[in-house]
Amino acid sequence: MSLLVSWTLQSAAQVEGKPVKVKGQGVYCGEVEMDVTQGADGKYYLYDSNRKICTLIGASLPSLDELAANGTLRDYIHTEDNGPADDEEYIQEVLDANKAFDATGYLKAGEVANSTSEFYAYQLKSITIEQLTKDGQDCIPTDESSSVMRIALYYRQTKWTPFFEQILPDAEGAPVVLDDDEVSQARAAIPVEGATLEINIMDEEGEKMPVLFKAFFVPDANGVTHIEADGIKATITYEKGGSPLVDAHWGMMQVYDFYKNVLGRDSYDDKGATIYNIIYSPGYSSGKDGMDLDDPMPRFLYNMAQCGAEARSDWYPPVMIYGMGGQILDYEMEGGAGPYMRAFVELSIMCHEFTHIVTKNTAQLSSSLVSEGGAINESFSDIMAISLMKNDTYGVGSQSQWIVGGQGLIIGKDNLRNLENPKLSGDVPQADTYHGENWDKRDKYKMMGVQNKFYYLLCEGGKGTNDNGDNYDLTGIGIDKGTQIAYLTLTKYCSSETDFSTIGECWQQASEELYGKGSAETQAVIRAWAAVGIGNADYTGIEEINGLPTAPAVYYDLQGRVLQTPPSKGIYIKKSGKGHAQVKKVITQ
């Protein structure tokens, strides 16, 4: 009997039942309590009827052909069939189509249900190879042989990289036991449909020899798999651990509450729209009737070698899709592989993606890779993620570091983005000064560090010298005030035309609305922008104004409005002829 009922996104908010609280264990959040729905069938569904949060398992995402047909392109998914999407002309044609995308008619998903009031998953604990024979001959190499042994676990017959792989150059014969540190990077759950154990015996140069063993297996209810077939005798064991589904559902509860209770916003549209989390697994095939996953799916989850997370704000309804980790596939890197990533359901990542949908519903900042607006868009998602993480109620608290994507998201690195020092970001080194080191107008992920650094200095203050040689010594206003200014800047003062030439003014207007003209908070905004190379610490940036009145001199306030008498704080303009003017005196007191 299936624990999961197939459905489409259209019916996701129509789960009939009563709201209840259940326990769960996440990969990052640990043991938590979640708001879910207990259906009339007695099962527990990951749908929060109070916040209208729905957590689903996604079916396969579109191929390039499907994307072309729908006028949308996501080129970060590569398979052996389509390879890297490097045909620029083809990609541009798809992008130019820019058609609306109806997610309700495309995505199908399965309600994640559990017959008990706990959600967790089993994680890999150990692999023991007890016997390998071919034609009656023992094939396990020993330390005296010249061959090596490669042990890998795949999700079914996936074309993606294995989620566990170990090469043993000096095996000592049977049994071969892998546990503890040898499987520490594979703390991933195994699908109930099964996985494939693949064993290769290779020569000393690493070339595969004809001896190859494969076994498809399904874990039993106790988390133990015994394999005895085709010359293989092995045991694979698991232990109770964190489920990415728990991180996704509980994490979005925190994100929703942060936006609602700290910022006064009800969901991404401020109208209480249903929020969809899609846990994406390329291995599942939904078929025409949706997902059909058998008992005990919530216990034996799945692993996928797909990295990243993305907010698809142009879809209807918009969804957030989270990859379950694996090794980054990068066709520009030698060997085609990058670092190993864990599941992309870390709390700051979830707030980052949710903010993208908020941005789409408010400022509509550009999302282009090669635009300053795209960099500012990405930066606001990081800024709100940090603001959540540093919140004592909904995040980690004030002791949280100024990083996005921490908590071991990238194996061997401590962050995805570093707002305190953007040049040390684990994703790509970012610029921390406008047009400074690492600035690249072709890459928003490098340019975004400028506003990230600004926000750190605004909240925390700092002393130093930027890449332009300008010294700064700032006192921060604190994360609470910074959060409010950031939110108002994004949702009221930014637009699709905003770039780095106007972003400082947007922040200034927001701070003046909240704290007043000439306030310490507004001055902190101006000085923090100057510290990253935008504007001047004593001057708002108005250097030239066209269309002057006929008078030889005139006063302007900080928004460029003409005044009849000198303002308490503003700019004195002296006409220089031909309808242009330049600043002659700045009134700061």
Side-chain angles (χ1 to χ4, degrees):
M1 178 179 178
S2 175
L3 286 178
L4 302 176
V5 180
S6 300
W7 63 351
T8 67
L9 290 177
Q10 291 167 304
S11 63
Q14 300 173 3
V15 179
E16 294 184 1
K18 61 181 180 180
V20 295
K21 294 184 180 294
V22 301
K23 294 180 180 179
Q25 182 174 342
V27 176
Y28 301 100
C29 63
E31 294 282 352
V32 294
E33 190 174 65
M34 303 182 293
D35 289 328
V36 304
T37 295
Q38 186 175 19
D41 56 4
K43 298 179 182 131
Y44 299 86
Y45 294 84
L46 288 180
Y47 176 66
D48 179 351
S49 58
N50 294 320
R51 300 173 181 86
K52 292 171 47 174
I53 296 171
C54 185
T55 302
L56 310 168
I57 296 174
S60 297
L61 293 181
S63 67
L64 286 179
D65 289 341
E66 290 168 318
L67 290 165
N70 286 282
T72 322
L73 178 69
R74 308 259 54 103
D75 65 348
Y76 76 100
I77 302 173
H78 304 308
T79 71
E80 293 177 0
D81 292 335
N82 59 39
D86 57 3
D87 187 334
E88 294 183 5
E89 183 177 350
Y90 169 71
I91 291 173
Q92 194 58 50
E93 289 178 0
V94 176
L95 289 172
D96 290 343
N98 196 29
K99 298 177 183 177
F101 195 90
D102 185 358
T104 62
Y106 183 82
L107 281 179
K108 289 185 179 294
E111 290 180 76
V112 181
N114 198 357
S115 58
T116 65
S117 58
E118 286 188 312
F119 284 80
Y120 60 89
Y122 278 117
Q123 297 175 331
L124 180 62
K125 183 178 182 181
S126 67
I127 301 175
T128 300
I129 309 299
E130 301 160 18
Q131 180 180 315
L132 279 182
T133 59
K134 189 174 183 66
D135 299 329
Q137 299 295 316
D138 185 5
C139 297
I140 296 180
T142 67
D143 56 1
E144 298 176 354
S145 69
S146 61
S147 57
V148 298
M149 187 176 187
R150 173 184 173 273
I151 302 172
L153 287 179
Y154 288 84
Y155 170 73
R156 283 190 164 184
Q157 302 295 328
T158 180
K159 296 176 182 178
W160 301 85
T161 55
F163 56 82
F164 173 78
E165 182 177 30
Q166 182 75 22
I167 297 177
L168 302 176
D170 54 356
E172 298 181 356
V176 177
V177 181
L178 301 176
D179 57 13
D180 299 328
D181 293 342
E182 293 164 315
V183 297
S184 63
Q185 289 190 3
R187 309 295 289 173
I190 307 299
V192 65
E193 288 92 343
T196 301
L197 171 65
E198 180 178 297
I199 303 173
N200 301 121
I201 307 300
M202 303 177 290
D203 63 23
E204 57 187 351
E205 275 78 38
E207 297 294 330
K208 288 184 179 179
M209 296 173 65
V211 180
L212 173 66
F213 299 88
K214 281 189 177 181
F216 181 77
F217 62 89
V218 177
D220 65 24
N222 297 315
V224 179
T225 294
H226 296 290
I227 300 172
E228 191 167 358
D230 298 326
I232 300 177
K233 188 175 181 181
T235 301
I236 302 177
T237 62
Y238 314 94
E239 60 188 354
K240 183 178 177 180
S243 164
L245 284 169
V246 173
D247 290 281
H249 193 72
W250 176 85
M252 194 50 60
M253 288 169 53
Q254 306 307 111
V255 173
Y256 174 90
D257 287 350
F258 170 74
Y259 264 91
K260 180 70 179 293
N261 300 328
V262 175
L263 302 171
R265 189 174 193 85
D266 186 2
S267 190
Y268 57 82
D269 64 348
D270 203 19
K271 298 177 182 178
T274 301
I275 300 168
Y276 294 101
N277 288 318
I278 306 294
I279 305 297
Y280 164 51
S281 170
Y284 286 129
S285 176
S286 64
K288 65 179 180 179
D289 296 323
M291 309 289 288
D292 185 15
L293 306 172
D294 294 325
D295 182 17
M297 179 62 190
R299 294 286 190 262
F300 299 99
L301 204 55
Y302 51 84
N303 180 281
M304 53 166 284
Q306 170 59 40
C307 306
E310 184 162 2
R312 305 212 165 170
S313 56
D314 289 326
W315 286 15
Y316 179 80
V319 301
M320 286 161 287
I321 301 176
Y322 306 98
M324 290 298 97
Q327 196 170 35
I328 293 177
L329 300 180
D330 188 338
Y331 286 85
E332 296 181 358
M333 293 183 63
E334 183 178 354
Y340 187 93
M341 315 288 282
R342 298 172 74 200
F344 260 76
V345 286
E346 193 262 357
L347 184 56
S348 66
I349 298 294
M350 301 190 69
C351 188
H352 175 106
E353 299 305 337
F354 181 82
T355 301
H356 277 313
I357 304 182
V358 173
T359 298
K360 181 67 176 179
N361 279 264
T362 54
Q364 297 188 11
L365 285 161
S366 170
S367 59
S368 171
L369 175 67
V370 295
S371 73
E372 291 187 0
I376 293 169
N377 187 335
E378 286 293 331
S379 174
F380 269 116
S381 280
D382 276 3
I383 284 170
M384 298 315 298
I386 286 292
S387 298
L388 165 65
M389 294 299 284
K390 284 190 162 290
N391 185 276
D392 291 329
T393 303
Y394 306 109
V396 176
S398 57
Q399 73 275 16
S400 176
Q401 295 180 296
W402 279 81
I403 60 175
V404 172
Q407 303 188 77
L409 176 66
I410 311 176
I411 302 298
K413 296 184 179 181
D414 64 359
N415 74 86
L416 185 67
R417 309 263 169 76
N418 187 325
L419 279 71
E420 180 178 359
N421 192 341
K423 293 179 181 179
L424 297 181
S425 290
D427 183 11
V428 293
Q430 298 177 336
D432 65 5
T433 306
Y434 188 55
H435 287 293
E437 182 183 351
N438 297 328
W439 178 268
D440 186 347
K441 64 181 181 180
R442 300 165 300 176
D443 191 341
K444 64 182 179 181
Y445 296 107
K446 294 184 178 181
M447 295 186 287
M448 65 182 289
V450 173
Q451 184 173 252
N452 281 1
K453 179 69 172 185
F454 151 80
Y455 190 61
Y456 170 79
L457 292 173
L458 174 66
C459 297
E460 295 288 329
K463 183 177 182 179
T465 304
N466 66 23
D467 288 350
N468 298 330
D470 300 323
N471 297 321
Y472 58 84
D473 188 353
L474 309 175
T475 299
I477 64 173
I479 191 69
D480 292 339
K481 289 182 177 179
T483 297
Q484 297 298 327
I485 298 173
Y487 175 73
L488 186 62
T489 301
L490 171 63
T491 57
K492 183 174 181 178
Y493 289 103
C494 286
S495 73
S496 60
E497 304 299 319
T498 301
D499 58 17
F500 280 112
S501 71
T502 57
I503 187 61
E505 182 180 351
C506 295
W507 280 84
Q508 183 177 326
Q509 289 174 320
S511 64
E512 288 178 343
E513 178 177 331
L514 290 171
Y515 301 105
K517 296 179 181 179
S519 64
E521 291 81 4
T522 299
Q523 285 300 306
V525 166
I526 295 171
R527 293 183 180 121
W529 273 118
V532 297
I534 294 179
N536 186 289
D538 297 317
Y539 157 59
T540 64
I542 301 175
E543 296 178 351
E544 187 172 7
I545 300 175
N546 295 322
L548 281 174
T550 56
V554 67
Y555 295 105
Y556 285 82
D557 67 10
L558 295 181
Q559 281 70 51
R561 293 185 287 258
V562 178
L563 302 175
Q564 298 301 315
T565 58
S568 59
K569 181 179 179 183
I571 300 173
Y572 171 69
I573 305 291
K574 183 174 178 60
K575 186 178 179 182
S576 60
K578 297 183 180 180
H580 297 278
Q582 293 185 352
V583 175
K584 293 300 180 183
K585 183 178 181 182
V586 178
I587 303 171
T588 59
Q589 302 296 331

